[in-house]
Amino acid sequence: MAKDNQVLEEITSKEYEHGWTVNLEADEAPKGLNEDIVRFISAKKNEPEWLLEWRLKAFRHWQKMEEPKWPNVHYPAINYQDIIYYSAPKKKKELTDLNEVDPELIKTFEKLGISLTEQKRLTGVAVDAVIDSVSVATTFKDKLAELGIVFCSFSEAVKEHPELIKKYLGSVVPMNDNYFAALNSAVFSDGSFCYIPKGVRCPMELSTYFRINAANTGQFERTLIVADEGSYVSYLEGCTAPMRDENQLHAAVVELYAMKDAEIKYSTVQNWYPGDKEGKGGIYNFVTKRGLCFGDHSKISWTQVETGSAITWKYPSCVLKGDYSMGEFYSVAVTNNYQQADTGTKMIHIGKNTKSRIVSKGISAGKSQNSYRGQVHVMKRATNARNFSQCDSLLMGDQCGAHTFPYIDVENQTARIEHEATTSKIGEDQIFYCLQRGIDEEAAVALIVNGYAKEVLNQLPMEFAVEAQKLLALTLEGSVG
Amino acid sequence: MGNTAVDIDLNKEIVSSFSGQDFSGAIDSRELALMHFQKLGLPTNKSEEYRFTPIGKNLSKNFTWKTVSTESTIGSIEPFLMEGVEASVVVLVNGIYSSKLSHIKHDKNEITVMSLTDAFKTHEAIVAQYFGKNLPTESDSFVAMNSAFWQSGVFIHVKENTNVEKPVLILHVNDAQNAQVNSQTRLLAIVEKNSSLSVIEKFESVGDNYVFHNFCEEIAVKENARLEYCKVQNDAGKSIQVANTVIHQSATSKVDTFTLTLDGEMVRNNLTIVIDGENCESHFHGLYLLKGNTLADNHTVVDHKKPNSFSNELYKGIMDGNAKGVFNGKIFVRPHAQKTNAFQSNRNILLSDSATVNTKPQLEIWADDVKCSHGCTSGQLDEEALFYLRSRGIPADTAKAMLLYAFALDVLAPVKNESLKTYLDKLISDRLHKNF
Amino acid sequence: MLQIKNLQASIEGKQILNGIDLQVNAGEVHAIMGPNGSGKSTLASVLAGREEYEVTGGEVEFLGKNLLELEPDQRAGEGIFLAFQYPVEIPGVSTVNFMKTAVNKIRAYRGQNALDAVAFLQLMKEKMKLVEIDQALLSRSLNEGFSGGEKKRNEIFQMAMLEPTLSILDETDSGLDIDALRIVANGVNKLRNKNNATIVVTHYQRLLDYIVPDFVHVLYKGRIVKSGGKELAKELEAKGYDWIKSQLADSVIS
């Protein structure tokens, strides 16, 4: 209740809130991509030989691959040689203490609403902040360390826990999985790593905040979360980028690995810069996210609120290998102006008695195109697999489009699969009812849209839910009436 | 994997067989279509629209391309008729219109039913107006192939303000007793304003050799006209069938279709309904009851181009043995096609460990004031219901058959002709009792 | 409080109101009666500002302001409340959340501070008691899956929460059984005071047994053709609307 009200009060600022650049002296690679750049990135990060080899192998695969053409999105060809593949905020020395972090950087985070300071501790969020692909500092490390939880930047993990990285890197998303995953594998600059030991229930929400800052930089971060037997973790990811006229590329990879009885909950609020009203600028968000329910009774749950990016290409998926494992996907994708989103999930049922649930709520406004693309695949030995999918689309205005592409492939007779989809609009009678009660049109739309998306928003941790609601309202501003 | 060498060989063989043939009529459109085919080639496993249905591969493996029709010894069509259904019968044997076996009962003043090649001469204007206008010749390999190679076909024209009560039964008979058969046939039907027509199609083959039947149909349903269309695919031979059907609806017209697929080695139906006028209504239903190694693939499109229309699609399937059911349903609601109501449902039951189903219900909406929904399910029979029946003393087999029959039956709703309905009901119940 | 002069309105080109004159003062209850299609609900909708209706002539003044110039939410802010004949369902939005938004939007319109969560809950509890509505109902999605009676009770609850100056009850009795009718009417009566006014739009007299009007107006073919005290409602009930029709016919002849 309280959060709803807050949302409504704060729908006042009109432009993209997070659109400012901070002057941080960047440590950049020259434009373009070749083996030398890959070596440069690896050297910058003092990586071991095996990781460099892994990157080079990915790069060679990538060179032979073709950019996928099947998504229902349209954009001018990307010149991969015109992108800066590495940009790190310059650091004067090793950071061991929050107080040593560049104050300007701290200011950046404060503007974003993530403070690395004590007040955040009260809310129980541990943050690993990634700015232009380099993890800056991680809070709560000590507290987590007591429980044996590893939560650090990817580069740090490479140094401190090479055995874990070596074992799990690319185990869920192989380096040659797809064009963008291969690109990421070759040039990823940093990201987050998290390991939850056996039987440990992570006592706080772990959080990463991504932000693309420098012009012409692509962000290629990589997240790897490993939940050992019987453990639990809830992970939050937030994304913003400053306003720029040109398009910026973001190709991240997220791998989740859940062992027996483990549970991983991964929530994203994606608010990359979507471009302006004429469709100029904005982030190309081509992300590969996949979770492997490796052990029996494991569970992976994806929740995403996608409001940003000029183009979104993203299918957080679950491979249900363990018997009785469970996958969930809850998504709200909002597009306005000239945004294009092609997003959904894959649920691959391999183990027996596996279950999956898909709830997707698309909202299109302006001249945007919003597509749900999902696959439910029940393999031959997946006896008693269950899936329920609900994909709803809401259209606002007659110049946008909503598209649904569900693939249902069943190879086992005991499977029970249900898919439902509807398309609707906000009823004029609903708006009038709100107006009559004194609620203005903008607030009425926010209220109705939040109601429509509630099933998904309910999945988010409290702090994120508030932000997500605000974003929905902001994204749809001016789209009605 | 792209084209295999064999595919490429077959593509070449097909293209080179074009010259030197004596085609009657439409030679310009044939050459253009051949060009499209040359560009498209046969679909491979990379073609999204034919992902689960490797017709090209099957043809390459089992079929030698010949367009010259083989002789047939079939003298009577009696065994292929539908018991109890009174209709004019048009017969095509090995892809060629047979005046000898056809039997038109209708009044010539109301409706014209004749060979399409003849209609090219006698009804030149109207054929020119409608022939080849709505088929996806540029994008579908089989339409391109058919448009280049069609041998013969049927022409139907219903005059304005005419209610044609008795159905026209189009019987495709392929005689593969002595050799493979390659049938490339067409239908062009026009139902003029305020008129009605009922068309039934049936496919039969005899003999053990492969039959490839590629069929293209164009049906125009003009203002305030009605069409009932029923297709029965119950051909137990080694048949590979591809049908491309486009029904074009003008304002306030009504269309009911029913497609029943029971047999065939590989069956692909592309059914497209274009709603190009306001206040139209279309119901298109389908039922596929598959066993053995049959693969049946129904691709349907309903394209709402104008506002205020209603479409309702229901396809159901039961797969046993190694059978594969494929369904793809697209609903398009074009910009400004406001107040469209479009519903789609696809329900499947798998009865064996090696049966599969691949379904993709697809919505593409560009208008906001619409009501659209789709749903699809895949499952087994309801254990609870089965138990309930058994607890009342019904043996398991019978109980199962009863439930399957109940599952299948509501799909018959668009069939209005009582004798046809009785015939279809019998086909369905026979199949479900005998085999399950 | 409310001054309607020669109000004319149409929908989709069809003229419904043909010149309505009505004056409502603070503390009064007016009943608008009339056969189906006489324009009763149109009048209610026009006063609330429903966009489908086009005002083709006349004036409406509410507390000194030209009501017809205001947006629907501004009218609500001014103190007009319409209890809908068919309350709208909004999935996923609870009544509580909805009301909190409405109360604070209207407070903002009036230049008052927003209520905090505690104050709001207190207000809600008090009003719930008044209209005998259950907390569980208010936590559910707005009107979704509510019975006819629950929807109407929810309308009266909202009326209690927003404390309007002028309430317009559009066929609030339709679809209600006698118990629900009594509860709804009780709620309305408790909310009556010398500073507010109520317009009850109804087809039947039975609601007026519970909400006793000061004035009764009969609407026919978009005009008020007869006005009187509460006894007029009884007379109508006894003689039926045909009585009005024949009277009118007579007056045309003579």
Side-chain angles (χ1 to χ4, degrees), chain B residues 120-293:
Chain B
F120 261 81
K121 293 164 201 142
T122 59
H123 293 71
E124 206 177 338
I126 198 155
V127 169
Q129 191 186 339
Y130 291 100
F131 184 83
K133 292 294 183 284
N134 287 307
L135 283 163
T137 317
E138 290 166 30
S139 56
D140 188 281
S141 310
F142 296 102
V143 173
M145 179 200 280
N146 178 288
S147 301
F149 290 99
W150 67 275
Q151 301 145 306
S152 181
V154 181
F155 173 75
I156 301 175
H157 182 256
V158 183
K159 292 210 169 72
E160 283 185 17
N161 307 312
T162 312
N163 180 22
V164 181
E165 270 180 32
K166 276 185 203 118
V168 177
L169 169 62
I170 302 172
L171 192 59
H172 302 270
V173 182
N174 291 305
D175 182 353
Q177 292 176 97
N178 301 315
Q180 292 185 347
V181 179
N182 178 2
S183 289
Q184 306 272 336
T185 53
R186 304 271 301 203
L187 168 70
L188 179 63
I190 297 110
V191 191
E192 298 284 5
K193 276 182 201 164
N194 307 316
S195 296
S196 72
L197 172 69
S198 164
V199 178
I200 307 168
E201 279 178 75
K202 199 161 177 273
F203 297 80
E204 296 285 353
S205 70
V206 286
D208 296 330
N209 293 298
Y210 266 90
V211 172
F212 173 48
H213 195 144
N214 184 14
F215 190 43
C216 281
E217 309 179 279
E218 296 170 275
I219 306 175
V221 186
K222 308 301 286 181
E223 285 79 5
N224 203 32
R226 274 197 54 111
L227 170 74
E228 280 181 41
Y229 171 95
C230 172
K231 178 148 76 179
V232 181
Q233 295 168 311
N234 192 18
D235 183 348
K238 279 186 191 159
S239 66
I240 302 163
Q241 276 182 39
V242 183
N244 273 283
T245 307
V246 177
I247 299 173
H248 185 272
Q249 284 188 259
S250 299
T252 61
S253 62
K254 192 170 177 238
V255 168
D256 291 290
T257 76
F258 176 64
T259 307
L260 176 65
T261 311
L262 298 173
D263 255 315
E265 184 166 306
M266 202 173 267
V267 178
R268 167 63 176 253
N269 296 314
N270 293 329
L271 172 63
T272 300
I273 296 182
V274 181
I275 297 178
D276 203 5
E278 293 195 37
N279 301 307
C280 292
E281 196 178 324
S282 355
H283 299 266
F284 44 123
H285 287 199
L287 181 64
Y288 39 103
L289 306 176
L290 314 177
K291 60 184 171 100
N293 291 311

Side-chain angles (χ1 to χ4, degrees), chain A residues 169-182:
Chain A
L169 176 69
S171 63
V172 185
V173 180
M175 66 171 76
N176 60 351
D177 186 78
N178 66 67
Y179 188 78
F180 297 112

